């Protein structure tokens, strides 16, 4: 049943495919697969993502999916017929900022890094954030996280870099529309994500 759901999603969002990887909206049934991906991550990947050697709990993973549309949004990168998740990207809105601002997160499994998956996830997230009316993304990164720096610098959107408590802070300006952005396509993704969230509510009880 899980594989059938992923095959359906892959067929409906086939244009977001890189190296046989499908970038799909995050849905309820992804929680266990995201948790399994975390078990395969190296200590370095964990540290660069969470700035500590710690895997998130299942409850914390579920909390990302359960964000209301006004609070955040997420995508996963899925590899192969077995629907294994090898990447995750999402953003969470910052409630206290005057301008609509969110903090994004992105993570790619070690064995799939360097293949363009992170960039595909990042561009998907960035363009969806623009569609959702966000004006700024605030990225906090370890100074030695070269992959994260490369994503920001190659994203095609203006940004300001600052030092913040020993970390690098990038303020990404989303107020200018990205060139050649396929607005209708991103609306289609959002409709699918919201529909599958509703269809997946029955899965919540199985996560605890």
């Amino acid at each position: 049943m899980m594989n059938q759901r992923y095959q359906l999603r892959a067929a409906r969002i086939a244009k977001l495919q890189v190296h046989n990887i499908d970038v799909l909206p995050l849905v309820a049934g992804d929680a266990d697969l995201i948790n399994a991906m975390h078990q395969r991550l190296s200590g370095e990947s964990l540290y660069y993502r969470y700035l500590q050697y710690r895997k998130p709990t299942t409850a914390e993973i579920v909390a990302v999916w359960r964000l209301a549309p006004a609070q955040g949004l997420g995508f996963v990168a899925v590899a192969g017929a077995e629907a294994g998740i090898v990447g995750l990207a999402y953003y969470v809105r910052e409630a206290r900022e005057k301008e609509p601002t969110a903090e994004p997160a992105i993570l790619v499994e070690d064995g799939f890094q360097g293949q363009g998956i992170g960039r595909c996830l990042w561009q998907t997230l960035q363009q969806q954030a623009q569609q959702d009316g966000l004006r700024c993304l605030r990225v906090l990164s370890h100074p030695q996280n070269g992959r994260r720096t490369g994503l920001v610098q190659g994203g095609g959107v203006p940004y300001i870099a600052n030092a913040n408590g020993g970390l690098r802070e990038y303020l990404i300006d989303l107020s200018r529309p990205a060139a050649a952005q396929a607005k209708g396509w991103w609306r289609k993704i959002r409709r699918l994500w919201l529909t599958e969230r509703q269809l997946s509510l029955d899965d919540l009880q199985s996560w605890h």
Side-chain angles (χ1 to χ4, degrees):
M1 181 177 179
M2 182 75 72
N3 288 345
Q4 290 176 349
R5 286 178 55 207
Y6 272 98
Q7 289 167 8
L8 174 63
R9 294 198 313 181
R12 295 171 70 181
I13 314 183
K15 291 184 179 179
L16 291 177
Q17 193 170 71
V18 176
H19 299 297
N20 296 318
I21 303 293
D22 293 299
V23 175
L24 308 172
L26 177 65
V27 297
D30 293 334
D32 289 339
L33 296 173
I34 292 172
N35 184 56
M37 179 188 71
H38 278 82
Q39 304 310 311
R40 300 190 297 267
L41 291 174
S42 67
E44 181 181 86
S45 291
L46 282 171
Y47 187 78
Y48 279 165
R49 165 60 191 91
Y50 299 104
L51 300 177
Q52 55 183 317
Y53 294 105
R54 172 185 174 274
K55 298 180 178 70
T57 65
T58 301
E60 289 170 330
I61 294 171
V62 170
V64 174
W65 175 80
R66 297 185 72 176
L67 289 170
Q71 296 174 312
L73 186 71
F75 296 90
V76 291
V78 181
E82 294 303 316
I85 288 179
V86 298
L88 170 68
Y90 62 91
Y91 66 77
V92 179
R93 287 181 180 254
E94 298 182 355
R96 298 183 180 181
E97 294 295 327
K98 293 182 179 179
E99 293 290 333
T101 300
E103 181 177 349
I106 187 166
L107 183 63
V108 176
E109 187 175 329
D110 294 69
F112 293 85
Q113 294 176 8
Q115 301 180 32
I117 297 170
R119 185 164 302 281
C120 186
L121 281 167
W122 176 247
Q123 291 175 348
T124 301
L125 198 70
Q126 187 172 269
Q127 293 183 28
Q128 184 61 54
Q130 287 179 310
Q131 291 294 313
D132 286 347
L134 288 168
R135 301 292 297 274
C136 179
L137 293 176
R138 186 195 313 277
V139 179
L140 290 175
S141 178
H142 191 282
Q144 296 180 8
N145 190 344
R147 293 187 185 278
R148 180 69 58 84
T149 299
L151 289 178
V152 172
Q153 293 178 344
V157 178
Y159 67 90
I160 298 173
N162 301 307
N164 186 335
L167 301 174
R168 286 180 182 168
E169 180 186 58
Y170 300 98
L171 300 176
I172 301 169
D173 182 6
L174 299 179
S175 61
R176 306 176 195 179
Q181 190 175 115
K183 295 183 179 179
W185 184 248
W186 300 112
R187 291 194 190 101
K188 179 180 178 182
I189 291 176
R190 184 169 179 78
R191 286 198 302 270
L192 174 60
W193 178 73
L194 292 172
T195 299
E196 292 207 354
R197 277 176 61 99
Q198 183 63 39
L199 292 175
S200 302
L201 286 176
D202 292 341
D203 294 338
L204 285 173
Q205 297 301 322
S206 65
W207 295 353
H208 301 285

